[in-house]
Amino acid sequence: LDCPRAVDCTLAWLIAAMWGVSLLAIWRSWSHILQAATVTGIVALAASICLDQHRLQVWAWEFLWIQLFVLLATPRIAIWSCRVLVVGIYFYSAISKFDCGFMQTQGPWLTEGLCRAVGIGSPRWGPGTGWGYLVFPLGEVLLAVCLAWRRWQRWGVALSVVMHTALLLSLGPWGWQQRPGVLLWNLYFLLTVPVLFWTKRSEIAADVPGEASAGTRMSAGDLLSRLVAIGLGLWPACEGWQLCDHWPAW
């Protein structure tokens, strides 16, 4: 939709401000302020997307659901739902790289950027040896599996730190000098994955009154968040049948 630039700028600043207030509210345990900031953030982001559908990108889609989980669910279930979301992002991102296009273009391009950043020569694989670039999607699949399996989660965290550090080197000022948005997306995962997955589930339950009890009744918000997270994890698999758009498919 055609609207004044001031409206776009106001929405952008409002989104950023509400995310900041939400983080502060989580840190200080201000539940009412957290709810108000989360609702405002959801409405502002949804309005921004409605004004320009090209803003419905992976980061916006993910942040909408994260805010919804925070709003509806108890802390333990919100964290679980966010974990499911992150695992799905890594898994489907890996699946999308198992094609000739990645092996012939993006894979070599990322490798060259990383080699340039660390000051070594790019690997010279001959014709028919592009399979070496399978290390990217295979590593991402391994990362998703580790994060999904509780006993291996810390290995998954370590792998994610290595992967996103390498991507920041490849895409950053010492590599391909990509735009700040691309770098911020990788920096976001570099910081978020350790926060989400390093804490043990028992520690999360112990920090939330009433959550540690196995007999605690699940609220409607918890149930809805679980169902939405599982649905978001399965829905991208329907992209091949044209039942899911490219962006929401991660």
Side-chain angles (χ1 to χ4, degrees), residues 7-31:
V7 175
D8 281 336
C9 292
T10 300
L11 287 173
W13 280 108
L14 184 60
I15 292 167
M18 290 304 100
W19 289 348
V21 171
S22 296
L23 290 174
L24 179 61
I26 291 172
W27 179 49
R28 299 300 299 270
S29 300
W30 295 337
S31 59

Side-chain angles (χ1 to χ4, degrees), residues 140-168:
E140 225 167 357
V141 168
L142 178 60
L143 171 55
V145 170
C146 287
L147 292 179
W149 196 268
R150 192 181 308 170
R151 292 184 178 180
W152 298 348
Q153 279 179 348
R154 296 200 173 189
W155 288 103
V157 170
L159 186 57
S160 75
V161 169
V162 171
M163 185 185 81
H164 289 292
T165 300
L167 286 171
L168 284 170

Side-chain angles (χ1 to χ4, degrees), residues 13 20 60 78 82-83 97 101 121 136 154-155 157 159 166 196 199 213 231:
W13 280 108
C82 290
R83 286 176 171 180
K97 293 180 177 67
F136 290 100
R154 296 200 173 189
W155 288 103
V157 170
L159 186 57
L196 266 181
T199 303
S213 174

Side-chain angles (χ1 to χ4, degrees), residues 80-217:
W80 181 89
S81 301
C82 290
R83 286 176 171 180
V84 172
L85 201 63
V86 169
V87 169
I89 290 173
Y90 281 122
F91 178 76
Y92 289 108
S93 174
I95 295 300
S96 69
K97 293 180 177 67
F98 284 104
D99 66 358
C100 293
F102 182 85
M103 302 304 161
Q104 296 173 1
T105 55
Q106 293 99 329
W109 183 75
L110 287 171
T111 303
E112 185 177 345
L114 178 60
C115 291
R116 179 187 298 184
V118 298
I120 62 175
S122 301
R124 299 298 179 184
W125 290 324
T129 58
W131 56 265
Y133 298 112
L134 281 172
V135 67
F136 290 100
L138 288 175
E140 225 167 357
V141 168
L142 178 60
L143 171 55
V145 170
C146 287
L147 292 179
W149 196 268
R150 192 181 308 170
R151 292 184 178 180
W152 298 348
Q153 279 179 348
R154 296 200 173 189
W155 288 103
V157 170
L159 186 57
S160 75
V161 169
V162 171
M163 185 185 81
H164 289 292
T165 300
L167 286 171
L168 284 170
L169 287 172
S170 177
L171 302 171
W174 298 284
W176 290 116
Q177 302 179 359
Q178 292 295 289
R179 294 181 178 181
V182 177
L183 304 181
L184 285 173
W185 177 245
N186 281 281
L187 181 61
Y188 160 75
F189 277 100
L190 183 64
L191 300 175
T192 302
V193 172
V195 172
L196 266 181
F197 290 91
W198 197 264
T199 303
K200 294 180 180 178
R201 185 175 179 181
S202 59
E203 293 172 353
I204 296 171
D207 292 338
V208 183
E211 290 296 318
S213 174
T216 302
R217 190 172 183 178

